[in-house]
Amino acid sequence: MKKMDFGLRTLFFCFAMMPHANAGENSWEYKDWSVSTDSETVHYAANGNTVHGHKFRLIKQVGQCDRDLLLITWSTHEKGLENFKGSNATFQFKIGNTWLQRESMLGLVGNLTPYLTLANFGLVADKKLISLLEKGHAIEAIIIAPEELAGKFDIPEDSFSLDGFIAAKLKSREFCEEFASRVRPLAEQGDAEVQFRLGFMYAKGQGVARDYSQAVEWFRKAAEQGVAVAQYNLGIMYHGGQGVAQDDVQAVKWWRKAAEQGDAEAQHNLSLAYSRGEGVAQDDVQAAAWTRKAAEQEVAVAQYNLGFMYAKGRGVAQDDVQAAAWFRKAAEQGDADAQHNLGFMYAEGQGVARDYSQAVEWFRKAAEQGDADAQYTLGFMYANGQGVAQDWIQAVVWTRRAAEQGHAKAQRNLGFAYRHGKGVAEDYMQAMVWLGRAAEQGDEKAQKSLDSMFDLAREALAGPKPRWSKGTGL
């Protein structure tokens, strides 16, 4: 099974979409941009030029004033957007002469009126996007995928003025840093979400000196008030022994509390604890049950693990069809291991009809993400013309990528390619280099080939054997 990183999580998306109910607000406007605040977040935004309800908004959180979440709000009269909640959407942006594509997630969906639905798409605004926004005069945005989601919007595109953006960005940071000083008083008054925020600030050293014991204290206060992400993070602190003695039993206790509230990552970590027997008795059936809960909430690594469990019959009855189905779900979210395994299942006809062209497609997706096994297999399929036209040059390209990552079979095949001049110029020195690297990892075929090359080299160095004349001799 593959694990997910045991990392702290923030409420970045939650706060961005759900401002604190009792917060006092400040506001500021300059040209086409406005800045508004509450006790935990600062929003700076511009309205769409075409459609009422369209908004392009960036959000900072207390303790993360150097980071922006981009929240794009689109409106529609169509129904059924709730069915897409949590799914990914691809936006295309144009700023000046530059085009960008970014993946976003559909978050909250709500009704502005009985006939008008608002949908929020969230993504982290990277440095390149922010830099272009600072230099541009306007930004055009359009949803381009998936088509069935884009088709739900009356007008899936709009443009937004950037006149005033830089001033609004500076003002939003000013407000954010000012509010950082107000966090502790709110936390001490018992505000559970602010207690979580303060814990996160101490854990990350954002706005305060890093102090894991303080992080644990404030996470615990929020966790005891039922904040699921605080319960999850408190489990992380116990698991890693940060600010508290390492204790997997306590980690499991807090993950379970968050998992029972539906926290998908806590469900996944609880499944790993059961799988490994850490903090709880080892139990594959419980591991599979919690993995399924996380997988059904679209956690890609959990979908991969559930596919693995079905493939191996761990905690569930062995079922290649179910394995392929869950690998596909994770693969479609971009999980390279799942893409590789789905490619393998197509190549072998396990759980799906054998289809080499589909195998090549999924191996390629994993290979392009740097998966060495997929790169090796894709090279093999090019060499043998399976699912793709035979192409020794492409075979060498992908085999080399795997070999450079230390993949022994790829190193051996690259050595063979150099020895026989397949896809590259024949080069015995390069052949011996790559066969040698594979042999060092215990590859017997590479060692045999290397030995035969040494034998040939010794014979060549020895020169021709003497020829004895015929006769009776002395």
Side-chain angles (χ1 to χ4, degrees), residues 283-300:
D283 188 328
D284 281 339
V285 174
Q286 281 292 307
W290 286 107
T291 300
R292 185 183 303 279
K293 289 180 184 292
E296 289 173 347
Q297 293 199 66
E298 306 300 325
V299 176

Side-chain angles (χ1 to χ4, degrees), residues 91 235 313 401 456:
F91 269 84
R401 291 187 186 185
L456 290 171

Side-chain angles (χ1 to χ4, degrees), residues 49-294:
N49 293 326
T50 305
V51 180
H52 174 69
H54 285 189
K55 189 177 288 289
F56 189 89
R57 174 171 38 180
L58 292 105
I59 299 164
K60 294 182 182 293
Q61 281 190 271
V62 174
Q64 294 182 295
C65 297
D66 58 349
R67 183 184 185 212
D68 293 281
L69 171 72
L70 173 57
L71 193 67
I72 303 172
T73 302
W74 244 233
S75 63
T76 182
H77 292 90
E78 292 284 333
K79 303 296 182 184
L81 275 178
E82 294 81 3
N83 298 329
F84 294 90
K85 186 176 178 181
S87 61
N88 292 331
T90 303
F91 269 84
Q92 184 167 271
F93 302 119
K94 183 184 180 186
I95 307 171
N97 294 320
T98 302
W99 291 89
L100 296 175
Q101 283 189 16
R102 292 293 184 269
E103 293 296 313
S104 65
M105 185 184 76
L106 177 57
L108 291 186
V109 175
N111 294 325
L112 182 64
T113 72
Y115 308 103
L116 189 64
T117 301
L118 297 182
N120 291 311
F121 296 89
L123 64 149
V124 174
D126 55 80
K127 291 182 180 179
K128 182 175 182 179
L129 177 58
I130 292 292
S131 176
L132 289 170
L133 292 174
E134 291 174 338
K135 298 172 183 176
H137 298 290
I139 179 170
E140 298 175 24
I142 180 171
I143 304 174
I144 60 172
E147 291 184 7
E148 57 268 32
L149 177 56
K152 285 288 183 182
F153 294 93
D154 306 319
I155 302 178
E157 58 189 280
D158 211 333
S159 63
F160 305 87
S161 169
L162 295 175
D163 195 8
F165 171 79
I166 293 176
K169 180 174 180 285
L170 293 172
K171 179 58 71 172
S172 70
R173 186 178 182 94
E174 177 186 323
F175 282 164
C176 184
E177 292 173 348
E178 177 188 345
F179 287 157
S181 64
R182 303 182 189 179
V183 171
R184 181 176 287 274
L186 287 168
E188 290 173 345
Q189 290 172 27
D191 187 307
E193 290 179 357
V194 179
Q195 288 171 342
F196 164 80
R197 170 58 48 203
L198 186 56
F200 190 83
M201 290 169 66
Y202 274 116
K204 293 295 186 180
Q206 295 175 342
V208 293
R210 174 173 282 173
D211 186 328
Y212 289 134
S213 62
Q214 282 287 302
V216 167
E217 177 182 338
W218 291 106
F219 282 149
R220 189 185 306 279
K221 289 180 185 293
E224 289 172 347
Q225 292 198 64
V227 176
V229 71
Q231 294 167 340
Y232 168 87
N233 280 1
L234 187 55
I236 294 295
M237 304 298 278
Y238 272 112
H239 177 77
Q242 294 178 307
V244 66
Q246 199 281 335
D247 189 331
D248 282 331
V249 173
Q250 283 292 311
V252 166
K253 168 189 169 180
W254 289 105
W255 284 336
R256 188 184 304 279
K257 288 181 181 290
E260 289 173 347
Q261 290 197 65
D263 187 289
E265 291 177 23
Q267 290 168 345
H268 177 67
N269 283 2
L270 187 57
S271 77
L272 293 177
Y274 273 113
S275 179
R276 299 168 182 166
E278 295 179 354
V280 67
Q282 199 279 335
D283 188 328
D284 281 339
V285 174
Q286 281 292 307
W290 286 107
T291 300
R292 185 183 303 279
K293 289 180 184 292

